[in-house]
Amino acid sequence: MSYYQYYEFQASDRRLSEADKQRLRNVSSRAEITSTSFAVQYDYGDFKGDEKEFLSRWFDMHVYVAAGGTRRLMIRLPARFAKRATVERIINCCEFAEFTDNGEDWLLDIFPYDEERDYGGWTEGPGWLDALAPLRSDLLSGDLRLAYLLWLAAADREMLEDDAREPLSGIGPLTEGLEAFGKFFGIDPDLVHAAADVTAGPDCGEVPSETAHAAIKKMPDDEKTTLLHRFLEGDLLAHTDLRKSVRPSEVNGIPADSVNFRTLSELRTRAAAIRVERLAAREGTRTSGQRRR
């Protein structure tokens, strides 16, 4: 019996040697292998490798897509990832997401078991990992909006009570990576846009350029020299660490934990209003098109 399965792995912090490629070729003769990626599709048969070993030895992210709607995303994070405890606290309501100790690093494993969920129709695997890849760099730099979306995915699957409060002060403005994550895991798009109604504070979202510039000016010279040397040496994590170092711990002068968070009930009410507005706009566009004809 045929059964579509797609496995893709991507490296961002390292490059595969020719010896590495040969080892991977021994796992699959049909895979497409480059210095930073491994991708293979099965219509018959199954993957002979071990996803966790692949991430530990060679790669930083993994996507799995199968017929019936099964989706999986795995992200390797260095042991020094400072905000693991915060992310873990946010996602502790998600029965389908967990951190696992992988020796020298951590794996964030997101694997919902809801094959009957409406994902908006059939979709194949290629393209998803490229769309999701920026989220790892964002997470390492301290942008925790991915964790918020995991919380929202749990809420959308009725795992939370209506009085549960959002874990961050919003996720706006949405990035392409965040939108891709919402689509990949079938989160109600109106609920995602309701969360994005409020701009994420600089403690968890994008850092404004003027804020980053001011923070860099205040950095000690030896710290700047070290970062520049790492850039010169091709350290792929230097950019991520720089982004993390300029991220403030306050929102508009107010400690981040003092922000007023919305309840899930309020988010759902706003999502319902967004849905009405969206459907009305679609109907208006359709009616206008009919009149022109």
Side-chain angles (χ1 to χ4, degrees):
M1 180 182 294
S2 63
Y3 184 74
Y4 176 87
Q5 296 183 91
Y6 180 80
Y7 295 81
E8 185 175 355
F9 298 83
Q10 188 177 105
S12 54
D13 296 351
R14 38 195 167 177
R15 297 290 184 269
L16 300 178
S17 67
E18 290 304 316
D20 291 330
K21 292 179 186 178
Q22 186 55 54
R23 292 188 185 96
L24 293 170
R25 180 59 66 200
N26 292 337
V27 175
S28 174
S29 60
R30 70 177 74 177
E32 295 183 10
I33 302 173
T34 72
S35 61
T36 58
S37 66
F38 174 102
V40 61
Q41 173 183 320
Y42 294 96
D43 295 304
Y44 296 89
D46 204 353
F47 181 58
K48 305 302 182 184
D50 179 274
E51 293 91 336
K52 290 185 178 180
E53 181 187 8
F54 267 46
L55 287 166
S56 177
R57 297 183 63 179
W58 298 298
F59 299 103
D60 299 303
M61 293 187 71
H62 164 56
V63 152
Y64 171 73
V65 177
T70 303
R71 314 280 174 99
R72 186 179 197 176
L73 174 65
M74 298 178 75
I75 304 175
R76 185 191 71 83
L77 297 165
R80 61 182 177 79
F81 174 50
K83 295 201 173 184
R84 181 184 64 81
T86 304
V87 174
E88 204 161 29
R89 174 180 56 78
I90 292 173
I91 68 173
N92 65 3
C93 59
C94 299
E95 300 172 1
F96 51 85
E98 64 176 357
F99 273 104
T100 59
D101 188 344
N102 202 37
E104 296 183 359
D105 46 43
W106 291 89
L107 294 182
L108 175 57
D109 190 358
I110 308 166
F111 194 9
Y113 295 90
D114 50 2
E115 294 189 356
E116 300 304 317
R117 191 172 187 80
D118 180 11
Y119 285 98
W122 166 250
T123 183
E124 294 191 345
W128 280 114
L129 192 48
D130 283 341
L132 296 167
L135 294 177
R136 179 177 183 267
S137 176
D138 291 344
L139 194 58
L140 286 174
S141 71
D143 185 336
L144 302 185
R145 287 179 292 175
L146 168 60
Y148 187 118
L149 281 184
L150 277 170
W151 178 88
L152 207 61
D156 198 29
R157 288 164 169 79
E158 305 298 332
M159 296 178 183
L160 298 174
E161 300 295 330
D162 282 346
D163 60 355
R165 293 193 175 275
E166 59 184 344
L168 302 172
S169 58
I171 57 172
L174 285 176
T175 64
E176 291 181 358
L178 292 170
E179 292 203 76
F181 185 92
K183 292 176 182 176
F184 187 68
F185 287 112
I187 308 173
D188 178 359
D190 298 317
L191 196 57
V192 172
H193 282 85
D197 261 0
V198 175
T199 300
D203 64 311
C204 61
E206 295 180 342
V207 180
S209 58
E210 61 273 16
T211 301
H213 181 75
I216 291 172
K217 287 184 67 175
K218 294 179 180 178
M219 288 173 61
D221 288 342
D222 58 345
E223 188 175 347
K224 293 179 186 178
T225 301
T226 299
L227 275 170
L228 285 172
H229 182 72
R230 290 176 61 194
F231 274 111
L232 185 63
E233 293 295 314
D235 183 340
L236 298 176
L237 284 175
H239 178 257
T240 298
D241 287 344
L242 176 59
R243 290 176 63 195
K244 180 173 63 177
S245 67
V246 301
R247 185 175 299 283
S249 58
E250 296 185 340
V251 184
N252 298 325
I254 303 172
D257 58 5
S258 300
V259 177
N260 183 31
F261 299 118
R262 296 166 292 177
T263 65
L264 178 55
S265 178
E266 291 172 327
L267 287 169
R268 284 177 171 154
T269 298
R270 177 57 185 145
I274 290 173
R275 187 173 300 112
V276 169
E277 294 167 4
R278 175 172 55 81
L279 293 176
R282 180 188 299 174
E283 179 63 23
T285 300
R286 187 181 67 82
T287 302
S288 177
Q290 291 176 340
R291 288 173 179 170
R292 283 197 297 270
R293 288 197 295 270

